[in-house]
Amino acid sequence: MSPGELIFHFLNTVVLTALVASGVLWRYRVDVLAGMGSSSGQALGIPAVVPARTVMPQPPAAGLAWEKQARRRIALAYLGSVAVPALGLAVLQLHVGNLPRTPAHVMLVGGSLLLAAVPMIAVSLALRFRQAVGLGLGVLIACAVLGTGLSMLQRPFMGGRPSLDQLLNFFTFFHFAAVWLPFPLTLIMLTGHARIRGVAPITFAGLLLFGLAPLLGARASAWLATTPDGSRILLDIGLNAVFMVLALPAALLGWWRLQGLAGAYQAKRFSDAQLLARTWWLLFCAALALELINAAPDRWWLVLAGCVAAYAVFPWLNGVLLARAVGRHGRPPRRTLLLLRVFGYTARTEKLFDRVGARWRLFGPVTMIAAPDVMARTIDPGDFLRFAGGRLASSFVTSRVDLNAGLAALDQMPDPDGRYRVNEFCCRDDTWKATVVELMDRADVILMDLRGLTPTRGGCEFELKQLNERLPANRVVLVVDSEAVVAQVAALMSRLPVIVRFDKGSATETETLFATLLRAAELLPAPRP
């Protein structure tokens, strides 16, 4: 099998991953929306009002100070997880290419691979696009400076003196990065778009295995055709028969792999961000392996062994470093955030979830009623497998038994990377009210996005009245975009909650909203008058 065939198969898999993942999410949204509009046949009663739970206060400024340190440690953990195997890949590439293996050369190659950590950090910490770009440039500049310094420091050990012309190595690093990085970064962009990255890793795993059937079938047919007996067999059973024979085992292997991923995710062996990081590191390792095998086909075994080892080291090292990064020492107490919103504004809801909801996952779990407006951000391997197996209906709350089981199974423990999970409840038209009230009673703080609220939104009216009866006003934060919305709220609630204006979603507005949520959860002191 030629390296060109492998490259073609790999690229096809990545492109198909983007297309299939988009189709899966579209179909998933349609089915969830249909389920939301249907009735279970038995409306659930609204639970009686219970006394609000007491939220224990945290020392002043503990929330933001701890978060700042935790985010820095998480970023360093991902950088370290990539840096160690990247140095090994750099030595491998220099050896296969018969190039010098000096510290400066290793830094030249390994430093460019370090850029793989940037999208991992961006997803884990919910960075804005500009922040991610700035972080990527910072990593490249730091590696270029370090590589230039190493080239000057190693000169005396090679019998020479450092010279000013070595400063040009700074630009050499960027030239090398510009040649090598576009291919793997393009692969990451195809699978890392915010709308599909929730299902991209498991889709990629399934397609990569299933795609082996036509590839191996073509090679097996070519091998059979080299002998008279094999040619007769092909003529008797047909040229595509070998593919058909291999298709079923490949499909079963792909399905078992998906089940294995979903099972490991449910067992909390890794988080959604860690699964995506492993997929992206696999893309980097595979891209480098294909390039080196194409350049030195006689050393394919060495390249394959080195790239497999580099990939295998990453998950283990990533788990160890993240466990140390977000330890329990000094961590604020868990706070559950219930996210409510006006349904139907997909882009706006996704941005709010990215900038606030995803960031909250360092402090506690997020609960919500499932809907298509934020489906792309919350779907996990378990959801994907239920949908692929035709069992999506089993996710819906259709009775009090279903609701009690879902509440008992709320995931309130952090993942290995220190982030909590999102707990969604898929509800029928006659079960959502009881479900959202139960979630209110279990939440420490409520964030309700009322932008776009109109008097015809009866669901939001019900939720506001229940919040007014069940929770202290200081634990409810409402996001509004006009005074008309404030007036509607005042007409429905006797105790006005905390109201935050959120028009453009700027960095300043986001920080203000997040600090307000921390105060509502008693993780920050009240601002000084």
Side-chain angles (χ1 to χ4, degrees):
M1 188 178 300
S2 68
E5 287 181 285
L6 289 174
I7 294 173
F8 185 71
H9 168 63
F10 192 75
L11 286 176
N12 279 345
T13 302
V14 174
V15 173
L16 284 175
T17 295
L19 296 176
V20 172
S22 299
V24 167
L25 279 176
W26 172 79
R27 187 66 246 181
Y28 187 78
R29 285 192 181 99
V30 171
D31 289 356
V32 169
L33 188 60
M36 292 172 59
S38 63
S39 173
S40 66
Q42 52 175 339
L44 301 185
I46 305 303
V49 177
V50 297
R53 292 184 297 112
T54 301
V55 177
M56 298 302 295
Q58 186 72 1
L64 285 177
W66 177 86
E67 184 202 19
K68 184 177 180 180
Q69 295 177 359
R71 290 168 67 88
R72 184 185 301 113
R73 291 195 295 264
I74 289 173
L76 292 175
Y78 274 106
L79 288 170
S81 303
V82 172
V84 173
L87 292 177
L89 289 176
V91 173
L92 173 66
Q93 183 171 358
L94 294 171
H95 175 73
V96 171
N98 296 318
L99 298 172
R101 293 183 290 277
T102 67
H105 284 83
V106 172
M107 190 63 205
L108 174 69
V109 180
S112 61
L113 290 174
L114 195 60
L115 198 67
V118 173
M120 303 175 189
I121 297 171
V123 169
S124 183
L125 300 183
L127 299 183
R128 294 169 179 260
F129 179 75
R130 291 183 179 179
Q131 292 175 312
V133 172
L135 176 62
L137 289 176
V139 169
L140 288 177
I141 291 173
C143 291
V145 171
L146 181 58
T148 303
L150 285 174
S151 68
M152 301 182 75
L153 288 174
Q154 73 182 23
R155 179 68 68 84
F157 296 95
M158 302 178 67
R161 292 183 178 181
S163 58
L164 292 179
D165 64 304
Q166 289 183 285
L167 296 177
L168 295 176
N169 289 329
F170 179 88
F171 302 100
T172 302
F173 176 85
F174 281 93
H175 180 266
F176 180 85
V179 172
W180 151 244
L181 290 177
F183 177 60
L185 289 181
T186 300
L187 300 181
I188 286 180
M189 290 178 63
L190 287 173
T191 57
H193 191 277
R195 290 287 176 89
I196 66 170
R197 66 188 179 210
V199 297
I202 45 181
T203 304
F204 178 75
L207 290 175
L208 190 63
L209 291 175
F210 184 71
L212 291 175
L215 189 65
L216 296 179
R219 299 306 303 168
S221 298
W223 175 75
L224 286 173
T226 59
T227 63
D229 292 338
S231 299
R232 282 193 295 269
I233 293 175
L234 287 177
L235 292 176
D236 290 339
I237 66 176
L239 294 177
N240 295 323
V242 177
F243 162 69
M244 298 303 296
V245 170
L246 293 174
L248 182 58
L252 288 175
L253 184 61
W255 182 252
W256 289 336
R257 180 55 182 159
L258 293 184
Q259 288 183 315
L261 285 175
Y265 179 78
Q266 293 300 326
K268 302 183 80 69
R269 295 178 187 171
F270 50 76
S271 69
D272 53 347
Q274 287 177 293
L275 177 59
L276 193 60
R278 294 180 185 185
T279 302
W280 285 341
W281 183 240
L282 174 62
L283 293 179
F284 259 79
C285 292
L288 180 62
L290 294 175
E291 178 182 324
L292 294 181
I293 291 175
N294 194 46
D298 57 319
R299 298 187 180 184
W300 65 268
W301 56 273
L302 178 61
V303 172
L304 188 61
C307 290
V308 168
Y311 174 74
V313 166
F314 176 82
W316 171 80
L317 185 60
N318 184 246
V320 171
L321 294 180
L322 283 174
R324 294 178 177 272
V326 190
R328 295 185 178 182
H329 179 70
R331 183 167 197 162
R334 181 185 64 230
R335 296 286 191 261
T336 300
L337 170 69
L338 172 59
L339 178 59
L340 306 174
R341 70 276 190 198
V342 178
F343 288 160
Y345 299 93
T346 301
R348 192 177 67 190
T349 303
E350 287 178 341
K351 288 182 180 179
L352 182 67
F353 183 84
D354 289 341
R355 297 173 184 177
V356 178
R359 184 176 168 185
W360 186 268
R361 293 175 61 183
L362 278 174
F363 293 92
V366 179
T367 58
M368 62 173 60
I369 300 296
D373 56 357
V374 75
M375 200 68 66
R377 302 304 198 269
T378 58
I379 187 172
D380 60 42
D383 299 328
F384 181 92
L385 204 63
R386 281 190 293 272
F387 171 73
R391 298 181 289 108
L392 182 61
S394 65
S395 302
F396 279 82
V397 176
T398 59
S399 65
R400 173 57 63 174
V401 173
D402 291 340
L403 178 55
N404 290 339
L407 294 172
L410 280 173
D411 193 334
Q412 301 188 50
M413 297 302 295
D415 276 326
D417 63 352
R419 296 158 64 246
Y420 292 84
R421 292 188 177 180
V422 179
N423 296 276
E424 283 188 299
F425 283 76
C426 296
C427 300
R428 303 292 187 186
D429 185 57
D430 53 0
T431 62
W432 74 268
K433 289 184 178 180
T435 303
V436 77
V437 168
E438 292 282 8
L439 294 179
M440 289 178 184
D441 292 341
R442 288 163 173 76
D444 297 305
V445 60
I446 312 289
L447 172 61
M448 189 170 185
D449 185 2
L450 291 176
R451 292 173 294 172
L453 179 66
T454 62
T456 60
R457 299 281 185 170
C460 292
E461 180 179 338
F462 169 80
E463 291 172 343
L464 288 170
K465 289 181 178 179
Q466 291 295 321
L467 290 174
N468 186 62
E469 295 177 3
R470 294 176 178 274
L471 281 94
N474 63 344
R475 284 171 53 191
V476 180
V477 178
L478 305 182
V479 173
V480 302
D481 58 355
S482 68
E483 293 301 323
V485 174
V486 177
Q488 293 182 61
V489 172
L492 295 171
M493 306 183 74
S494 59
R495 297 177 290 114
L496 204 61
V498 181
I499 296 178
V500 177
R501 189 71 178 249
F502 201 76
D503 295 319
K504 299 179 180 179
S506 63
T508 302
E509 289 180 337
T510 301
E511 290 299 324
T512 299
L513 175 58
F514 197 78
T516 302
L517 282 174
L518 289 178
R519 293 189 187 98
E522 299 292 345
L523 295 177
L524 277 183
R528 294 182 179 180

Short mmCIF file of all heavy atoms in Angstrom, two decimals, residues 291-335:
data_model
loop_
_atom_site.label_atom_id
_atom_site.label_comp_id
_atom_site.label_asym_id
_atom_site.label_seq_id
_atom_site.Cartn_x
_atom_site.Cartn_y
_atom_site.Cartn_z
N GLU A 291 3.64 12.21 6.06
CA GLU A 291 4.67 13.01 5.38
C GLU A 291 6.01 12.29 5.40
O GLU A 291 6.71 12.22 4.38
CB GLU A 291 4.79 14.38 6.03
CG GLU A 291 5.88 15.25 5.42
CD GLU A 291 6.00 16.58 6.11
OE1 GLU A 291 4.97 17.14 6.54
OE2 GLU A 291 7.13 17.08 6.24
N LEU A 292 6.38 11.71 6.56
CA LEU A 292 7.67 11.05 6.68
C LEU A 292 7.70 9.74 5.90
O LEU A 292 8.72 9.40 5.29
CB LEU A 292 7.98 10.80 8.15
CG LEU A 292 8.20 12.04 9.03
CD1 LEU A 292 8.53 11.64 10.45
CD2 LEU A 292 9.31 12.91 8.44
N ILE A 293 6.58 8.99 5.90
CA ILE A 293 6.54 7.74 5.13
C ILE A 293 6.64 8.03 3.65
O ILE A 293 7.30 7.30 2.89
CB ILE A 293 5.26 6.96 5.46
CG1 ILE A 293 5.31 6.43 6.89
CG2 ILE A 293 5.05 5.81 4.49
CD1 ILE A 293 4.04 5.75 7.35
N ASN A 294 6.02 9.11 3.23
CA ASN A 294 6.10 9.49 1.82
C ASN A 294 7.52 9.89 1.44
O ASN A 294 7.97 9.62 0.31
CB ASN A 294 5.12 10.64 1.54
CG ASN A 294 4.91 10.86 0.07
OD1 ASN A 294 4.70 9.92 -0.70
ND2 ASN A 294 4.94 12.11 -0.35
N ALA A 295 8.24 10.52 2.39
CA ALA A 295 9.60 10.96 2.10
C ALA A 295 10.61 9.82 2.24
O ALA A 295 11.62 9.80 1.53
CB ALA A 295 9.98 12.11 3.04
N ALA A 296 10.34 8.90 3.17
CA ALA A 296 11.28 7.79 3.39
C ALA A 296 10.51 6.49 3.54
O ALA A 296 10.35 5.96 4.64
CB ALA A 296 12.13 8.06 4.64
N PRO A 297 9.98 5.95 2.44
CA PRO A 297 9.16 4.73 2.53
C PRO A 297 9.92 3.52 3.05
O PRO A 297 9.32 2.59 3.59
CB PRO A 297 8.71 4.51 1.08
CG PRO A 297 9.69 5.27 0.24
CD PRO A 297 10.11 6.44 1.06
N ASP A 298 11.25 3.51 2.93
CA ASP A 298 12.02 2.37 3.41
C ASP A 298 12.10 2.34 4.94
O ASP A 298 12.48 1.32 5.52
CB ASP A 298 13.43 2.39 2.82
CG ASP A 298 14.16 3.68 3.13
OD1 ASP A 298 13.53 4.76 3.07
OD2 ASP A 298 15.37 3.63 3.45
N ARG A 299 11.73 3.44 5.60
CA ARG A 299 11.77 3.50 7.06
C ARG A 299 10.36 3.61 7.65
O ARG A 299 10.19 4.17 8.73
CB ARG A 299 12.62 4.69 7.52
CG ARG A 299 14.08 4.61 7.09
CD ARG A 299 14.88 5.73 7.72
NE ARG A 299 16.27 5.69 7.34
CZ ARG A 299 17.21 6.52 7.82
NH1 ARG A 299 16.87 7.45 8.69
NH2 ARG A 299 18.45 6.41 7.42
N TRP A 300 9.39 3.08 6.93
CA TRP A 300 8.00 3.23 7.38
C TRP A 300 7.78 2.62 8.76
O TRP A 300 7.01 3.16 9.58
CB TRP A 300 7.05 2.56 6.38
CG TRP A 300 7.23 1.07 6.29
CD1 TRP A 300 8.03 0.39 5.43
CD2 TRP A 300 6.59 0.09 7.11
NE1 TRP A 300 7.94 -0.96 5.65
CE2 TRP A 300 7.06 -1.18 6.69
CE3 TRP A 300 5.68 0.16 8.16
CZ2 TRP A 300 6.62 -2.35 7.28
CZ3 TRP A 300 5.25 -1.02 8.76
CH2 TRP A 300 5.71 -2.25 8.31
N TRP A 301 8.45 1.52 9.08
CA TRP A 301 8.27 0.87 10.38
C TRP A 301 8.75 1.75 11.53
O TRP A 301 8.13 1.80 12.60
CB TRP A 301 9.03 -0.46 10.39
CG TRP A 301 10.50 -0.31 10.06
CD1 TRP A 301 11.07 -0.32 8.82
CD2 TRP A 301 11.55 -0.08 11.00
NE1 TRP A 301 12.42 -0.12 8.91
CE2 TRP A 301 12.75 0.02 10.24
CE3 TRP A 301 11.60 0.02 12.38
CZ2 TRP A 301 13.98 0.24 10.85
CZ3 TRP A 301 12.83 0.23 12.98
CH2 TRP A 301 14.01 0.34 12.21
N LEU A 302 9.89 2.46 11.30
CA LEU A 302 10.41 3.35 12.32
C LEU A 302 9.49 4.55 12.52
O LEU A 302 9.20 4.95 13.66
CB LEU A 302 11.81 3.83 11.93
CG LEU A 302 12.48 4.83 12.88
CD1 LEU A 302 12.67 4.20 14.26
CD2 LEU A 302 13.82 5.28 12.32
N VAL A 303 9.00 5.11 11.42
CA VAL A 303 8.08 6.25 11.50
C VAL A 303 6.80 5.85 12.21
O VAL A 303 6.31 6.57 13.09
CB VAL A 303 7.78 6.79 10.09
CG1 VAL A 303 6.69 7.86 10.14
CG2 VAL A 303 9.04 7.35 9.45
N LEU A 304 6.27 4.71 11.82
CA LEU A 304 5.01 4.25 12.42
C LEU A 304 5.17 4.01 13.92
O LEU A 304 4.32 4.44 14.72
CB LEU A 304 4.56 2.97 11.73
CG LEU A 304 3.16 2.46 12.11
CD1 LEU A 304 2.10 3.49 11.77
CD2 LEU A 304 2.88 1.14 11.41
N ALA A 305 6.26 3.37 14.31
CA ALA A 305 6.48 3.09 15.73
C ALA A 305 6.65 4.39 16.52
O ALA A 305 6.10 4.54 17.63
CB ALA A 305 7.72 2.21 15.90
N GLY A 306 7.39 5.34 15.97
CA GLY A 306 7.63 6.60 16.67
C GLY A 306 6.36 7.42 16.82
O GLY A 306 6.09 8.00 17.89
N CYS A 307 5.53 7.47 15.77
CA CYS A 307 4.30 8.27 15.83
C CYS A 307 3.26 7.62 16.74
O CYS A 307 2.54 8.32 17.45
CB CYS A 307 3.74 8.46 14.43
SG CYS A 307 4.75 9.55 13.39
N VAL A 308 3.20 6.30 16.72
CA VAL A 308 2.28 5.61 17.63
C VAL A 308 2.68 5.84 19.08
O VAL A 308 1.84 6.08 19.96
CB VAL A 308 2.24 4.10 17.31
CG1 VAL A 308 1.52 3.33 18.42
CG2 VAL A 308 1.54 3.86 15.97
N ALA A 309 3.98 5.79 19.35
CA ALA A 309 4.46 6.04 20.71
C ALA A 309 4.16 7.47 21.15
O ALA A 309 3.74 7.71 22.29
CB ALA A 309 5.96 5.77 20.78
N ALA A 310 4.35 8.43 20.24
CA ALA A 310 4.08 9.83 20.57
C ALA A 310 2.60 10.05 20.85
O ALA A 310 2.24 10.83 21.74
CB ALA A 310 4.53 10.73 19.42
N TYR A 311 1.74 9.36 20.08
CA TYR A 311 0.31 9.50 20.35
C TYR A 311 -0.08 8.83 21.66
O TYR A 311 -0.89 9.35 22.43
CB TYR A 311 -0.51 8.89 19.21
CG TYR A 311 -1.99 8.88 19.52
CD1 TYR A 311 -2.73 10.06 19.49
CD2 TYR A 311 -2.63 7.71 19.91
CE1 TYR A 311 -4.08 10.06 19.82
CE2 TYR A 311 -3.98 7.70 20.22
CZ TYR A 311 -4.69 8.88 20.17
OH TYR A 311 -6.02 8.90 20.50
N ALA A 312 0.50 7.67 21.95
CA ALA A 312 0.15 6.93 23.16
C ALA A 312 0.57 7.67 24.42
O ALA A 312 -0.09 7.56 25.46
CB ALA A 312 0.79 5.54 23.12
N VAL A 313 1.67 8.42 24.35
CA VAL A 313 2.14 9.15 25.53
C VAL A 313 1.19 10.28 25.89
O VAL A 313 0.98 10.58 27.08
CB VAL A 313 3.56 9.70 25.27
CG1 VAL A 313 3.95 10.74 26.32
CG2 VAL A 313 4.56 8.57 25.26
N PHE A 314 0.57 10.89 24.90
CA PHE A 314 -0.23 12.09 25.13
C PHE A 314 -1.38 11.88 26.11
O PHE A 314 -1.51 12.66 27.07
CB PHE A 314 -0.74 12.65 23.80
CG PHE A 314 -1.66 13.83 23.97
CD1 PHE A 314 -1.15 15.10 24.15
CD2 PHE A 314 -3.04 13.67 23.95
CE1 PHE A 314 -1.99 16.19 24.32
CE2 PHE A 314 -3.89 14.74 24.12
CZ PHE A 314 -3.36 16.01 24.29
N PRO A 315 -2.28 10.89 25.92
CA PRO A 315 -3.41 10.76 26.86
C PRO A 315 -2.98 10.53 28.30
O PRO A 315 -3.56 11.11 29.23
CB PRO A 315 -4.18 9.55 26.31
CG PRO A 315 -3.77 9.43 24.90
CD PRO A 315 -2.34 9.89 24.85
N TRP A 316 -1.96 9.68 28.48
CA TRP A 316 -1.48 9.42 29.84
C TRP A 316 -0.91 10.68 30.47
O TRP A 316 -1.26 11.04 31.60
CB TRP A 316 -0.43 8.32 29.80
CG TRP A 316 0.26 8.14 31.13
CD1 TRP A 316 -0.20 7.46 32.22
CD2 TRP A 316 1.54 8.69 31.50
NE1 TRP A 316 0.70 7.54 33.25
CE2 TRP A 316 1.78 8.30 32.84
CE3 TRP A 316 2.49 9.47 30.83
CZ2 TRP A 316 2.94 8.66 33.52
CZ3 TRP A 316 3.64 9.83 31.50
CH2 TRP A 316 3.86 9.43 32.84
N LEU A 317 -0.03 11.35 29.75
CA LEU A 317 0.61 12.55 30.30
C LEU A 317 -0.42 13.66 30.51
O LEU A 317 -0.36 14.38 31.52
CB LEU A 317 1.71 13.02 29.34
CG LEU A 317 2.56 14.21 29.81
CD1 LEU A 317 3.27 13.88 31.11
CD2 LEU A 317 3.57 14.59 28.73
N ASN A 318 -1.36 13.79 29.60
CA ASN A 318 -2.39 14.80 29.73
C ASN A 318 -3.23 14.57 30.99
O ASN A 318 -3.55 15.52 31.72
CB ASN A 318 -3.29 14.78 28.49
CG ASN A 318 -4.33 15.88 28.50
OD1 ASN A 318 -5.53 15.60 28.57
ND2 ASN A 318 -3.90 17.12 28.40
N GLY A 319 -3.57 13.31 31.26
CA GLY A 319 -4.35 13.02 32.47
C GLY A 319 -3.59 13.33 33.74
O GLY A 319 -4.14 13.88 34.70
N VAL A 320 -2.30 12.99 33.75
CA VAL A 320 -1.48 13.24 34.94
C VAL A 320 -1.34 14.74 35.20
O VAL A 320 -1.53 15.22 36.33
CB VAL A 320 -0.09 12.60 34.77
CG1 VAL A 320 0.84 13.04 35.91
CG2 VAL A 320 -0.21 11.08 34.74
N LEU A 321 -1.04 15.51 34.16
CA LEU A 321 -0.81 16.95 34.33
C LEU A 321 -2.10 17.69 34.67
O LEU A 321 -2.09 18.60 35.50
CB LEU A 321 -0.20 17.53 33.05
CG LEU A 321 1.22 17.04 32.71
CD1 LEU A 321 1.71 17.68 31.43
CD2 LEU A 321 2.18 17.34 33.86
N LEU A 322 -3.21 17.30 34.06
CA LEU A 322 -4.48 17.97 34.38
C LEU A 322 -4.93 17.65 35.79
O LEU A 322 -5.54 18.49 36.46
CB LEU A 322 -5.55 17.57 33.37
CG LEU A 322 -5.45 18.24 32.00
CD1 LEU A 322 -6.49 17.66 31.04
CD2 LEU A 322 -5.67 19.75 32.13
N ALA A 323 -4.69 16.43 36.25
CA ALA A 323 -5.05 16.08 37.63
C ALA A 323 -4.29 16.94 38.63
O ALA A 323 -4.83 17.33 39.68
CB ALA A 323 -4.77 14.60 37.88
N ARG A 324 -3.05 17.26 38.31
CA ARG A 324 -2.27 18.14 39.17
C ARG A 324 -2.66 19.60 39.01
O ARG A 324 -2.56 20.38 39.96
CB ARG A 324 -0.78 17.98 38.87
CG ARG A 324 -0.21 16.60 39.23
CD ARG A 324 1.26 16.50 38.87
NE ARG A 324 1.83 15.23 39.26
CZ ARG A 324 2.37 14.99 40.46
NH1 ARG A 324 2.41 15.95 41.36
NH2 ARG A 324 2.86 13.79 40.74
N ALA A 325 -3.13 19.95 37.82
CA ALA A 325 -3.45 21.36 37.54
C ALA A 325 -4.67 21.83 38.31
O ALA A 325 -4.70 22.93 38.85
CB ALA A 325 -3.67 21.56 36.04
N VAL A 326 -5.70 20.99 38.35
CA VAL A 326 -6.94 21.38 39.02
C VAL A 326 -7.19 20.40 40.16
O VAL A 326 -8.08 19.56 40.09
CB VAL A 326 -8.14 21.39 38.04
CG1 VAL A 326 -9.35 22.02 38.70
CG2 VAL A 326 -7.79 22.16 36.78
N GLY A 327 -6.39 20.52 41.18
CA GLY A 327 -6.59 19.68 42.35
C GLY A 327 -7.70 20.21 43.23
O GLY A 327 -8.31 21.26 42.97
N ARG A 328 -8.00 19.49 44.28
CA ARG A 328 -9.06 19.90 45.18
C ARG A 328 -8.62 20.95 46.19
O ARG A 328 -9.44 21.60 46.82
CB ARG A 328 -9.61 18.68 45.93
CG ARG A 328 -10.30 17.67 44.99
CD ARG A 328 -10.93 16.54 45.79
NE ARG A 328 -11.63 15.60 44.91
CZ ARG A 328 -12.30 14.55 45.36
NH1 ARG A 328 -12.34 14.28 46.66
NH2 ARG A 328 -12.90 13.74 44.49
N HIS A 329 -7.32 21.09 46.37
CA HIS A 329 -6.82 22.03 47.37
C HIS A 329 -7.17 23.46 46.96
O HIS A 329 -6.80 23.93 45.88
CB HIS A 329 -5.31 21.89 47.52
CG HIS A 329 -4.72 22.85 48.51
ND1 HIS A 329 -4.96 22.74 49.86
CD2 HIS A 329 -3.94 23.95 48.34
CE1 HIS A 329 -4.33 23.72 50.49
NE2 HIS A 329 -3.70 24.46 49.59
N GLY A 330 -7.88 24.15 47.83
CA GLY A 330 -8.23 25.54 47.58
C GLY A 330 -9.36 25.74 46.60
O GLY A 330 -9.69 26.88 46.27
N ARG A 331 -9.98 24.66 46.13
CA ARG A 331 -11.05 24.79 45.15
C ARG A 331 -12.33 25.27 45.82
O ARG A 331 -12.71 24.75 46.88
CB ARG A 331 -11.29 23.46 44.46
CG ARG A 331 -12.33 23.53 43.36
CD ARG A 331 -12.32 22.30 42.49
NE ARG A 331 -13.01 22.54 41.24
CZ ARG A 331 -12.89 21.79 40.16
NH1 ARG A 331 -12.08 20.75 40.18
NH2 ARG A 331 -13.54 22.10 39.06
N PRO A 332 -13.03 26.24 45.22
CA PRO A 332 -14.30 26.69 45.80
C PRO A 332 -15.31 25.56 45.83
O PRO A 332 -15.23 24.61 45.06
CB PRO A 332 -14.75 27.80 44.84
CG PRO A 332 -13.51 28.23 44.12
CD PRO A 332 -12.66 27.00 44.02
N PRO A 333 -16.28 25.62 46.73
CA PRO A 333 -17.31 24.58 46.77
C PRO A 333 -18.12 24.54 45.49
O PRO A 333 -18.28 25.55 44.80
CB PRO A 333 -18.18 24.98 47.97
CG PRO A 333 -17.94 26.45 48.14
CD PRO A 333 -16.52 26.67 47.74
N ARG A 334 -18.62 23.37 45.16
CA ARG A 334 -19.38 23.18 43.93
C ARG A 334 -20.65 24.03 43.93
O ARG A 334 -21.36 24.11 44.92
CB ARG A 334 -19.74 21.71 43.78
CG ARG A 334 -20.52 21.37 42.52
CD ARG A 334 -20.94 19.92 42.50
NE ARG A 334 -21.87 19.60 43.58
CZ ARG A 334 -21.73 18.58 44.41
NH1 ARG A 334 -20.69 17.78 44.31
NH2 ARG A 334 -22.63 18.35 45.36
N ARG A 335 -20.91 24.66 42.78
CA ARG A 335 -22.12 25.45 42.61
C ARG A 335 -22.79 25.01 41.29
O ARG A 335 -22.15 25.01 40.24
CB ARG A 335 -21.81 26.94 42.54
CG ARG A 335 -21.22 27.52 43.82
CD ARG A 335 -22.30 27.64 44.89
NE ARG A 335 -21.84 28.42 46.02
CZ ARG A 335 -21.39 27.91 47.17
NH1 ARG A 335 -21.30 26.59 47.31
NH2 ARG A 335 -21.02 28.69 48.16
#
